[in-house]
Amino acid sequence: MTANVWLFIAQLATIAVILVLVYRPLGDYMAMVFTSPKNLRVERGFYRLIGVNAASEQSWPAYLRSILAFSAVGILVVYAMQRVQEILPYSLGLPATSEHLSFNTAISFVTNTNWQSYSPDVTLGYTVQFAGLAVQNFVSAAVGIAVAVALVRGFAYKRSGTIGNFWVDMTRSTLRILLPFSVLAAIILLAGGVIQNFSGFQDVSTIAGGSATIPGGPVASQEAIKLLGTNGGGFFNANSAHPFENPTPWTNMVQILLMLVIPFALPRTFGRMVGDNRQGLAIAGTMATLFAVSVSLMTWAELHGAGTAPQLAGAAMEGKEDRFGIIGSTIFGTTSTITSTGAVNSMHDSFTSLGGGMAMLNIMLGELAPGGVGSGLYGILMIAIIAVFVAGLMVGRTPEYLGKKIGAREMKLASLYILATPTLVLAGTALSFAIPAVRSDVTSTSIWNPGLHGFTEVLYAFTSAANNNGSAFAGLTANTPWFNTALGVAMLLGRFLPIVFVLALAGSLAKQDRVPVTNGTLPTHRPQFVVLLLGVIVIVTALTYFPVLALGPLAEGLL
Amino acid sequence: MSTTTETPRITPTPDDGTGPGQRPSTKASSSAFSFAQLVAALPGAFRKLDPRQMVRNPVMFIVEVGAALTTLIAIAEPFIGRADSAGQPLAPSFTVGIAIWLWITVLFANLAESVAEGRGKAQAQSLRATRTSTLARRVIQYSQTDASAEATAIEEVSSADLTLGDVVVVVAGEVIPGDGDIIFGIASVDESAITGESAPVVREFGGDRSAVTGGTRVLSDRVVIRITSKPGETFVDRMIRLVEGASRQKTPNEIALNILLASLSIVFLVVVLTLNPMASYAGGVNSIPVLIALLVCLIPTTIGALLSAIGIAGMDRLVQHNVLAMSGRAVEAAGDVTTLLLDKTGTITYGNRRATEFVTVGGATLTQLVSVARLSSLSDPTPEGSSVVTLAEQMGHTEESVAGAVIVPFTAQTRMSGLDLPDGSQLRKGAGSSVASWVGSVSPALLAELTSVETRISQSGGTPLVVATRDSTGKARVLGVIHLKDVVKEGLRERFADLRAMGIRTVMITGDNPLTAKAIAAEAGVDDFLAEATPEDKMELIKKEQAGGNLVAMTGDGTNDAPALAQADVGVAMNTGTSAAKEAGNMVDLDSDPTKLIDIVRIGKQLLITRGSLTTFSIANDVAKYFAIIPAMFAGVFPGLAVLNIMGLHSPASAILSAIIFNALVIIALIPLALKGVKYRAVSASSVLSRNLLVYGLGGIIVPFIGIKLIDLIVSLIPGF
């Protein structure tokens, strides 16, 4: 046990040290990417191709329209590719997928959720994986970063009608951030033993003398962007638990870092762009604190697993890979759910009730510690606005954040933002049980573990979808018309409704002048504000989800 | 530069904003809250139950709908049978109990608003008395050629029939029929009906003291007044509407807060609506009264109930300070002010220069100088003159004036005043150059000494007044210099330091030269000054500050202040000022005390702090309520959840009822705080936040745990619970 605790601290410290080292250079680099007036030659070519004037900025409605159009095209393309898979090259002989599965998968990858209702290695061929899903892995992440940067510009700009140019932001995130770092990451993963080939299905003889069919594929390259872009959709169904995706504890650590590196550096970008690095540090500090507490709680729950089997095994090892152990699994599990990745290296369904509950709570927190690429930053800034509002009133001033007044319009948008996701989660879960026909389908087909655990699985599915996480609790058969459709809708609205509110807010902030800082201004760069922000995040989430958590993991865990 | 007529008082005000700053007067007492007030407000609270009124407050409207629904269920239960909740039977009186307490919750919220309004109503009553219709003598076809309107025909009309632009004549003993400006004459006016100040004030044609208010009484003389208000829109009418809260509109921050509260309510509505479908899968369906109880406990009822009372009370606190805000928006803006423009004269200094020092020159003795200075000032009626006498008397000089002396008054030509004694000797005091030429030849050494003293006094912000005599033989000599000084009011330095701590910059506006201005600014401790200021300069300064994102507050009374008053974010017009100034500002100070700007800022901040603190308290309360209700709802089905019952509440029914009762009682317990406002200290935002987070955030989490437990101990005594 003591050894475990030290191992945990050592791993966490390693992560912390690397993230601290990367924070400044990467954050500053990203800030430079989004403020530099220069375009690369390849970018200029691309802008000419799509007819965009890179020098002109967009108003928030124009920015939003661009995102929506871009994403709509993305969904259509991915949907169509799946529907005609059998005629595509390199399909490995796999047939076209069903309408509802194609719908679900298309939305899933365009919304950066990467929820997979299917086993990817035996459902989708190379063309769909590469030209469809991998492309979305890049651009959906780029969209997230673009939205975050647009919001940051809202804070940074003064009396401006524009918040940047979506096409420029998206192209630069892809070409200057995601692509080069993915290449680097793929090489590191390759070196760590992750496979990269185009050899299709291989028949092999096992040691015991039987035979098995093992799919191969370009795994390392997929893996890099899966984690770097907090996507989470694996090449294999087993995701990062599969030895071809994540062979060693060493690659496990690399994967964890890949998920965290961009979301944790974005606050620096934010601080840099608004001209006050301390503001970025406060946000990063809030994220780090929440992360540390969360990962500690999950690890504690797994190490002290209740029940006969865990007691005998010394810990809750069911559903975990021996090579990662408890610590490697809980750190990965926490990272994956608290960013919007949703990759798994162990089965969350088999976690102890409270450990699994933590995974769900991480997603419910709104994935903002540090959250998905971009979405984590804009998520925490939206909550910060609520925190600033209440705290601002308490110091006797019209609340302001970074010199921008939080008035009725800003409050309306921030409120709608925090309203959207919980409503989707709760309504989706409730409808699964409230509509009689759906209920019988859900209970007879989808839920394999009846009772509280089955309820938890459905709740987890909707939580994961509406928050664009994509991790699955497993144990739930989601490839049914109801779940594919309902979760698809939850993913779609869970992604784009918040984006609408964020961009509208960015627009109204950019229009404002900046109020000068005085003694009477609420300081938002001190530990005091970090504590306040943590309090608001936890209380707002806890109050919203406490009853359903009580019905699910808590009732189960405290039985 | 405009000055006020009466010497303004400083009104030191303690932290909570009540105290000697407000005068004992016809106004309602400011004592925050009493049982009698509650009883008096009850009928109003019942009237407000009307759903059409309630719907304006979404949070409390949800509670009312819940109360109505629970009542219906309570009535129906004996006939249709009682539904179990999550598999456990509840006490027979449970639904009735919940219904009753939900109604009480709504009633308490209405009570808070009624009590707040009640205070304004009393003031409105006394104001209405002044508005009774009087007879007005209207001048028919007033013309400039007969400015006093003595030869023009006059008709008698009711004051209610007066319209904009009418000209009326008012003589001693009559009530002024409407708001207006004096266009001829001078009169002393009793304005106690409005200001509560019994001493009469002088109102005269021309200058900045020409405005009169309808309902006030002329005590002496005869004046001709041009009416400047439309019927029904007089100053008193506006005042009545304001103190009654009838014209109260939601302020920007209030709207934003309402949005937050509404969206929290919606979140919890979704939580409660989706609970049963989900719980049904696990076999834990709850009855409707239980769900309603959960909803009411979760939505922010505490702040929802008190929000409008806080707003009304904030306006009321201003009225207690004899300040009328034309809108709640202005009160809020006062809290946001970052730059305060203060006129030097009357605000920072007493407005009259006072003698503070005698400096001898040329070998004259101090006794000689003081004695001559005093004698020459004895018959000088100006404040400067009397201050010389006062200072001399403090130094022990009490010589009687010489009988038969001739007073030489000050004129703009001589720039001297003094006394010619019967023995032929002459005493003079005046500006340096005038006195020097009156004396005639002055030795270069003396001249140098005199100049150096004068320069020193000027540089320190004072005015030198040279004293000289000419004896009966005609020999003149300079005795010395009186140091006249703009005396900075006591206690201001500390108040400016407070303001600085609050993040507010003070800028002194003065017509003085930069040298003098600098000295006074340093003495008073203001952050900046604007010297030799014209009204245009003032306007420029406001615009410059606003362009930098600052919110500016200022006071003014003259017509030439009007544009700046309108431009400022908070413009406080003095009641003694012209109607143009009063029209332009968004607040009127009935006491005409410019230092009150500081209190106004404080009240504005206090208003916002009270809202924020009670919101925090309200949301923090939910934690304990969850721990009371969730185990009560589900522990029957999932015994493990009983662990969450950390308060050890007696039974599910008693736990839920106790939470609801606490929820209602906390409203009534917080009414005094809502009316009085949260305590505010002039410290940095950071420390204000720390304190309020501790008291209302942490306190808000802890208090309900204790409260609900105590209530549960009592509820558990009821049979069946």
Side-chain angles (χ1 to χ4, degrees), chain B residues 271-584:
Chain B
V271 168
V272 170
L273 283 178
T274 54
L275 201 53
N276 258 354
M278 296 193 242
S280 72
Y281 178 69
V285 173
N286 277 282
S287 71
I288 292 173
V290 170
L291 289 179
I292 292 174
L294 174 66
L295 177 63
V296 170
C297 280
L298 294 184
I299 59 177
T301 47
T302 315
I303 180 67
L306 297 173
L307 192 56
S308 68
I310 295 170
I312 297 169
M315 295 283 273
D316 190 57
R317 262 198 301 284
L318 270 184
V319 176
Q320 303 290 341
H321 276 72
N322 262 355
V323 175
L324 283 182
M326 296 306 160
S327 69
R329 189 182 269 264
V331 185
E332 247 176 29
D336 288 347
V337 161
T338 48
T339 307
L340 220 52
L341 302 190
L342 297 170
D343 280 341
K344 184 199 79 176
T345 312
T347 309
I348 292 171
T349 63
Y350 284 102
N352 306 312
R353 289 172 299 186
R354 292 179 172 194
T356 56
E357 191 191 2
F358 296 105
V359 185
T360 57
V361 293
T365 66
L366 188 62
T367 316
Q368 275 177 321
L369 170 63
V370 176
S371 167
V372 169
R374 180 172 175 279
L375 283 176
S376 68
S377 304
L378 270 179
S379 42
D380 180 351
T382 64
E384 286 89 347
S386 57
S387 81
V388 172
V389 177
T390 310
L391 184 66
E393 279 168 4
Q394 279 168 4
M395 296 170 75
H397 290 262
T398 49
E399 306 94 336
E400 283 300 309
S401 180
V402 184
V406 180
I407 299 166
V408 180
F410 177 86
T411 67
Q413 283 76 42
T414 61
R415 294 173 69 208
M416 289 186 299
S417 64
L419 216 56
D420 285 350
L421 299 181
D423 65 356
S425 61
Q426 296 174 317
L427 316 177
R428 290 289 184 276
K429 69 179 199 303
S433 55
S434 316
V435 176
S437 65
W438 179 75
V439 171
S441 63
V442 178
S443 71
L446 183 63
L447 192 63
E449 191 185 354
L450 197 59
T451 313
S452 92
V453 171
E454 282 181 293
T455 313
R456 178 179 65 79
I457 291 174
S458 294
Q459 276 174 354
S460 72
T463 309
L465 214 57
V466 179
V467 179
T469 56
R470 181 181 286 156
D471 59 25
S472 43
T473 63
K475 190 170 162 253
R477 88 181 267 221
V478 177
L479 294 176
V481 183
I482 304 174
H483 184 168
L484 286 180
K485 197 173 157 191
D486 247 350
V487 180
V488 173
K489 293 179 180 177
E490 293 129 53
L492 274 187
R493 223 190 153 78
E494 290 72 32
R495 298 193 90 177
F496 291 146
D498 281 357
L499 287 171
R500 209 168 297 123
M502 289 151 69
I504 297 170
R505 221 165 58 88
T506 43
V507 181
M508 181 181 86
I509 312 282
T510 171
D512 291 346
N513 63 63
L515 211 63
T516 313
K518 191 175 175 201
I520 294 178
E523 192 185 340
V526 293
D527 296 301
D528 204 352
F529 63 90
L530 181 69
E532 290 171 351
T534 62
E536 292 75 34
D537 293 342
K538 210 160 160 179
M539 188 74 175
E540 276 312 301
L541 180 67
I542 294 176
K543 284 186 176 157
K544 201 182 90 205
E545 291 282 335
Q546 286 174 335
N550 285 305
L551 256 70
V552 182
M554 68 166 283
T555 58
D557 53 3
T559 301
N560 55 14
D561 284 333
L565 278 173
Q567 176 73 28
D569 300 281
V570 176
V572 184
M574 302 291 105
N575 191 43
T576 52
T578 60
S579 37
K582 279 154 90 172
E583 205 60 49

Side-chain angles (χ1 to χ4, degrees), chain A residues 386 390 539-540 543, chain B residues 257 260-261 264 268 298 300 302-303 613-625 696-697 700-701:
Chain A
I386 305 267
V390 177
I539 286 200
V540 167
L543 293 181
Chain B
L257 182 53
L260 178 66
L261 297 182
L264 282 176
F268 292 127
L298 294 184
T302 315
I303 180 67
S613 300
L614 290 183
T615 305
T616 309
F617 186 81
S618 189
I619 297 172
N621 268 225
D622 280 5
V623 176
K625 291 180 200 159
Y696 298 97
I701 291 177

